[in-house]
Amino acid sequence: MASASAWMLALAAARQATGLEEATAGLQRLVFQPEVFALENCSCVRRHGGAALSRFYHLDYRNAARSGLNHQISNLRAILAEGLGLGRAVLLGPPSLTRNHNLDRPFLFNRWGDFISFERSSFRIEERHKTVCEGTLASCVADVSDAQLAQLVEAKHESLGYHDGPVSDMQNAVPGLLRRRPAPPVDRVPDRLNLFRRLPNMTRFIGHHRLVASFVPSDKVLGAVPSVVDRLRALSKTGVAAVVHCRRGDKITNSKYCPAQMDKATSPARIAEVLDQSGIKPGSAIYIMSNELNLAHFDPLRDVYGYHFLTQAAAFPHLADLVSSCRNPEAPGYCENYLLFAIEKQILHAFPKEQRFVTLGIKGEEHNPVTLYSKFGKECRPG
């Protein structure tokens, strides 16, 4: 006959299991968004023995510092590494994009699904060089709507947990929605970290749960690229076309880069010099992607140096429309500089790396090793 203590332990375990099942069922009843229903077979959840739609993760963005799209993609990688590494399907809110890169204007395209195809993108989580779960992004990650998230967070149920640092095994064993919220203020200063990978315990955790992800651009982004590439190639008199990312705007006023030197680095004369040095001769077609508002700045490329250059405003209405109301709110069109940037980044990658030119070296990006600014670095800071 089993001992009384063993019987009590078995009863407690049964009650706990029943409680977890009820909590899970309560959470499932709150799901109505199709993209969230699609997470029912998430491999990372199955790995932890979770039932369908039983284990979710969400990072509370409300106190996040706002930044540009490249920073936010870094944040996205950190979010996915932690959430999927914990064995949970990830519910994504909108990226915390700053208006500073959108001429301080609001933007309509502000969800991850506007920039990334969840169906065509893929991921895997590695622990000690071994893949523990993998799949399409859509199988374990959802671009959750505000209404669906509110239903999951605000409804009365027993499966909502919070953390702002390490997650214990006991805490992670509980099904339901686990939210990483901002750390408590220190000396009344809120936690507004720019890079999520530096959040408490995030660095260590994602070091042990390595995310390998391939983000494929959305249809909105990819569909805008072919007509630009085709026209560039048709326009070239040398059979060669190239793309130049000429970053002006904030870069020619930021003391970090020495404005006088940055102005020279992004001049038509310097662009022509770099192109010629790299074998891109006059008569070639050049696409200029830039945050320079006065696009006439680049006219000498054509009038003096003999390059056929195109910009979104001058040549491609489907791109120009995206930013047509940025400087004039009354004008028809949009102010969607982030979407334009995502499209132009794919235009850049449509050409071999030797024909991609940037102002400053970009970590993790392949481009021509000669940058516009490389000539002026020592002049900016001698010695």
Side-chain angles (χ1 to χ4, degrees):
M1 182 175 178
S3 67
S5 60
W7 180 83
M8 291 295 289
L9 287 173
L11 180 60
R15 284 174 174 169
Q16 182 183 34
T18 302
L20 294 183
E21 289 176 5
E22 290 176 353
T24 297
L27 185 67
Q28 290 171 343
R29 286 193 291 269
L30 299 174
V31 174
F32 59 80
Q33 185 180 340
E35 291 83 357
V36 180
F37 273 120
L39 306 178
E40 62 182 352
N41 293 314
C42 174
S43 62
C44 299
V45 173
R46 290 202 310 270
R47 179 203 172 212
H48 276 257
L53 304 179
S54 65
R55 294 172 58 84
F56 294 112
Y57 168 97
H58 177 259
L59 188 141
D60 186 346
Y61 279 79
R62 286 176 296 179
N63 215 30
R66 297 191 173 273
S67 57
L69 188 57
N70 284 337
H71 270 131
Q72 290 304 312
I73 290 174
S74 172
N75 287 345
L76 173 62
R77 290 182 177 277
I79 293 168
L80 296 182
E82 182 171 63
L84 298 173
L86 289 169
R88 294 175 179 270
V90 177
L91 305 178
L92 289 176
S96 296
L97 295 169
T98 177
R99 287 190 182 188
N100 292 346
H101 297 330
N102 203 54
L103 281 76
D104 202 33
R105 297 286 309 286
F107 31 87
L108 298 175
F109 298 106
N110 62 354
R111 308 293 306 198
W112 279 116
D114 293 322
F115 304 102
I116 293 172
S117 168
F118 284 53
E119 292 75 19
R120 293 193 298 269
S121 298
S122 61
F123 79 90
R124 69 177 185 271
I125 295 291
E126 295 180 351
E127 295 177 5
R128 297 179 181 177
H129 307 291
K130 179 183 177 182
T131 298
V132 296
C133 60
E134 62 185 331
T136 64
L137 211 60
S139 69
C140 283
V141 183
D143 205 0
V144 65
S145 69
D146 293 341
Q148 175 65 92
L149 183 62
Q151 180 81 334
L152 293 172
V153 172
E154 296 171 10
K156 293 181 179 179
H157 57 91
E158 301 299 322
S159 50
L160 178 63
Y162 291 94
H163 75 106
D164 56 33
V167 180
S168 68
D169 291 343
M170 182 178 295
Q171 186 180 21
N172 192 39
V174 178
L177 173 61
L178 181 65
R179 301 189 83 195
R180 177 183 268 276
R181 58 187 175 188
V186 177
D187 295 330
R188 298 185 180 180
V189 177
D191 175 14
R192 293 182 59 81
L193 205 61
N194 192 16
L195 292 176
F196 292 169
R197 66 173 182 263
R198 294 178 183 168
L199 284 165
N201 195 55
M202 180 81 86
T203 301
R204 181 177 179 277
F205 185 87
I206 65 179
H208 289 87
H209 302 78
R210 180 171 176 259
L211 171 76
V212 180
S214 173
F215 296 142
V216 177
S218 68
D219 289 340
K220 289 187 185 77
V221 173
L222 290 180
V225 174
S227 61
V228 178
V229 174
D230 291 346
R231 185 165 176 187
L232 275 171
R233 288 174 173 156
L235 186 64
S236 176
K237 303 302 182 184
T238 65
V240 177
V243 180
V244 178
H245 184 195
C246 183
R247 184 80 180 268
R248 286 175 61 81
D250 58 319
K251 288 291 185 284
I252 59 173
T253 59
N254 191 331
S255 60
K256 175 181 177 181
Y257 301 105
C258 300
Q261 282 73 24
M262 183 58 75
D263 191 43
K264 287 190 286 185
T266 55
S267 68
R270 174 58 178 167
I271 295 172
E273 178 185 22
V274 168
L275 290 171
D276 188 63
Q277 286 177 354
S278 302
I280 314 294
K281 300 300 181 182
S284 301
I286 313 299
Y287 185 89
I288 301 288
M289 50 186 292
S290 180
N291 58 348
E292 171 60 54
L293 295 178
N294 176 24
L295 294 177
H297 168 81
F298 300 106
D299 284 351
L301 271 177
R302 177 190 61 238
D303 301 337
V304 177
Y305 300 103
Y307 289 95
H308 301 285
F309 84 92
L310 299 174
T311 65
Q312 46 79 16
F316 304 103
H318 70 298
L319 300 184
D321 187 50
L322 290 176
V323 289
S324 59
S325 71
C326 284
R327 284 181 285 176
N328 179 10
E330 304 302 320
Y334 304 92
C335 186
E336 299 292 339
N337 200 47
Y338 284 111
L339 187 58
L340 177 63
F341 173 75
I343 292 168
E344 290 188 323
K345 190 172 182 179
Q346 294 309 306
I347 296 171
L348 181 75
H349 285 274
F351 293 90
K353 70 176 183 179
E354 294 78 14
Q355 292 157 239
R356 308 174 199 161
F357 298 88
V358 298
T359 305
L360 298 159
I362 304 173
K363 186 178 180 181
E365 291 280 352
E366 292 189 338
H367 50 73
N368 192 296
V370 180
T371 67
L372 300 181
Y373 191 69
S374 58
K375 181 179 178 179
F376 301 97
K378 290 185 178 178
E379 181 182 323
C380 175
R381 284 177 173 72

